[in-house]
Amino acid sequence: MAFRPALTAVLTAGLLATGAASAQTVFTTSSWVPPTHTLTTAQGAWCSLLEKESAGRMKCNALPKAVTAAPGTFDAVRDGLVDISFTVDGYTPGRFINTQVAEFPFLGDSAVPTSVAYQRIYSKYFAPLGEHRGVKVLGVFTHGPGIIFNSKKPVLTAEDAASLKFRIGGGNINELSKLMGWNTTLKAAPESFELLSTGVMDGTFFPDESVASFKLSMIKHATTFPGGLYNTSFVFMMNPAKYNALSAQDKAVVDKISGETAARIFGEGWDKVDAASRDGAQKAQGVQRVQASPAFIDAVKAKQQQLEDKWAAAAEAKGLKNAKGVLAEFRAEIAKAK
């Protein structure tokens, strides 16, 4: 019978080892757009990469519904109501300043280069200034080029746009719309269908993707701009306490797939669904596409210069050095990024 204590010790050690091997960190994720939306699927793709790169030590559990409406998401992640999510910086006007650099008109025709370039500029200049203080930033990115969509008529001029009511998502496009004299209302993207289907709004400013994603079958007209009328700045983030509780090994995995890797995942997803919406849903419902006239583009450029000056002053007041130089560097990075 003397062998029993030793045998018990061996069995106990085996059970403990099995438990350690199966120990897993589970991150809750939340999305305020539909499960099929590219934001949700890109977040899921990042989570799949996390599980793969950590050999299963970390994984995500997608909650069945959003923990809060889109504008409250930053605080929900900060406060630990959910571990991982994303939000639009412009949904909380005035809270984020430097991020507006990614929202100016005419930046680019693809989400990948603008997202990757934005991430590079963010890491170099904005992260050290604590732009998203309170969360662990996993990445920043933009959607595809912004377009004027409506259900009423072709919008060929700035005056045509001024005759309609539009839903917008905030940020720089909100300020541009005010300068242009347009009738716009700041609302989160998921509210678009109800606003347009009930006639409260005549149109919306969106990337191509959103016509299909939000089932905007009432849209009949689209006005495009070279490089987009605007862009939207997004942040993909993690609760800092959850990150800080990870082992050094697992922190290294999170860091490895953050930054440009995350930006590229979201950008590639967006470009794919932009193309699918143009070639699918919009063609099926007979959306008529026109490009803004040179006079329309020039009118936007004239107002945009004021916004760039205003942004530069506000950003420098918050500690950014040579804001105009940073903007020029951002544009140069977009040209290099692929």
Side-chain angles (χ1 to χ4, degrees):
M1 302 298 290
F3 70 91
R4 285 187 176 177
L7 178 60
T8 300
V10 169
L11 291 174
T12 300
L15 288 172
L16 289 173
T18 301
S22 62
Q24 194 174 55
T25 299
V26 179
F27 298 93
T28 57
T29 66
S30 177
S31 175
W32 39 265
V33 289
T36 55
H37 192 283
T38 185
L39 285 168
T40 309
T41 58
Q43 179 169 258
W46 187 89
C47 284
S48 295
L49 184 60
L50 176 73
E51 186 168 2
K52 178 183 176 182
E53 290 289 331
S54 68
R57 295 189 307 276
M58 293 181 283
K59 66 175 292 186
C60 297
N61 175 37
L63 300 178
K65 61 182 295 186
V67 294
T68 183
T73 305
F74 183 91
D75 291 340
V77 173
R78 181 196 64 191
D79 297 341
L81 297 180
V82 67
D83 297 324
I84 296 173
S85 193
F86 50 83
T87 195
V88 173
D89 292 309
Y91 282 172
T92 50
R95 187 170 191 173
F96 306 106
I97 302 299
N98 295 322
T99 58
Q100 293 172 18
V101 76
E103 300 178 344
F104 292 136
F106 318 123
L107 286 176
D109 293 313
S110 170
V112 170
T114 53
S115 294
V116 171
Y118 178 31
Q119 179 64 59
R120 291 172 182 171
I121 293 298
Y122 183 92
S123 297
K124 184 175 181 180
Y125 295 107
F126 304 158
L129 294 174
E131 180 76 337
H132 291 101
R133 190 177 292 106
V135 301
K136 164 68 176 176
V137 174
L138 302 174
V140 294
F141 60 96
T142 74
H143 61 39
I147 296 169
I148 296 178
F149 288 105
N150 82 90
S151 61
K152 301 296 185 183
K153 65 180 185 180
V155 172
L156 303 174
T157 66
E159 291 73 25
D160 289 335
S163 69
L164 300 174
K165 297 175 294 182
F166 291 100
R167 167 266 161 205
I168 58 172
N172 183 67
I173 189 59
N174 187 40
E175 300 304 312
L176 176 61
S177 296
K178 291 176 183 176
L179 290 178
M180 296 295 293
W182 295 339
N183 185 351
T184 57
T185 300
L186 173 60
K187 293 288 185 180
E191 298 183 49
S192 299
F193 181 85
E194 182 178 359
L195 291 169
L196 271 66
S197 63
T198 58
V200 174
M201 296 290 155
D202 300 314
T204 181
F205 294 178
F206 262 147
D208 270 314
E209 159 275 327
S210 299
V211 174
S213 294
F214 296 110
K215 304 186 188 320
L216 303 181
S217 57
M218 71 291 294
I219 293 296
K220 297 301 178 186
H221 302 280
T223 303
T224 65
F225 294 75
L229 175 63
Y230 73 102
N231 243 306
T232 292
S233 165
F234 291 84
V235 58
F236 178 46
M237 55 200 162
M238 178 184 288
N239 174 262
K242 191 80 172 186
Y243 174 81
N244 290 335
L246 297 174
S247 67
Q249 181 183 21
D250 286 348
K251 284 179 181 176
V253 171
V254 171
D255 294 344
K256 176 184 176 183
I257 64 173
S258 296
E260 286 190 33
T261 298
R264 192 173 293 277
I265 288 172
F266 281 92
E268 288 176 349
W270 217 299
D271 283 340
K272 182 178 179 180
V273 294
D274 268 352
S277 179
R278 282 194 303 271
D279 298 338
Q282 292 181 47
K283 282 190 175 180
Q285 66 195 55
V287 174
Q288 300 297 308
R289 297 176 74 89
V290 298
Q291 181 165 308
S293 68
F296 195 174
I297 293 170
D298 287 343
V300 172
K301 286 182 177 179
K303 301 299 184 184
Q304 179 57 29
Q305 188 58 54
Q306 297 179 46
L307 290 179
E308 290 185 12
D309 293 342
K310 180 180 178 181
W311 168 79
E316 289 182 0
K318 291 288 187 177
L320 182 65
K321 307 293 185 183
N322 187 21
K324 287 291 186 73
V326 172
L327 176 55
E329 185 176 340
F330 177 42
R331 288 187 169 121
E333 284 291 346
I334 293 172
K336 292 190 298 184
K338 295 181 180 180

